[in-house]
Amino acid sequence: PVVAPPGNSGEWAADGAVSIGAWLRDHCRMTSRLASTWIKQARFLDRFPAVADAALCGVLSAGQTDLLRRAAPPKQIGRAHV
């Protein structure tokens, strides 16, 4: 599944949810684990637009994008690349 990057818009709060994960669990009837996976996948695809484009075009399957996400280095916030 491909979803928009979560958390930035805060639209989920308009429905009374405390987080995007809570919104997915409530509105999409997901388990916490599945909601977390979707959120991680969305953040990964936001970081790697070429992978997102390939997934949207059907070049990469959901399983392939998941494997790429797991192999990707963690996002390092606040650290400069030298």
Side-chain angles (χ1 to χ4, degrees):
V2 177
V3 294
N8 297 335
S9 69
E11 291 177 21
W12 43 265
D15 284 338
V18 296
S19 69
I20 186 64
W23 188 90
L24 286 169
R25 287 191 306 271
D26 185 45
H27 286 27
C28 301
R29 302 182 56 91
M30 291 184 178
T31 63
S32 294
R33 184 176 184 174
L34 182 57
S36 176
T37 299
W38 276 38
I39 293 165
K40 289 175 188 174
Q41 191 78 332
R43 289 180 178 151
F44 167 74
L45 293 173
D46 189 44
R47 283 179 51 211
F48 298 96
V51 176
D53 290 343
L56 286 171
C57 293
V59 174
L60 293 174
S61 70
Q64 290 169 320
T65 57
D66 188 51
L67 287 174
L68 288 170
R69 177 185 58 83
R70 292 177 193 208
K75 186 175 182 180
Q76 297 188 1
I77 300 172
R79 298 182 92 182
H81 295 295
V82 179

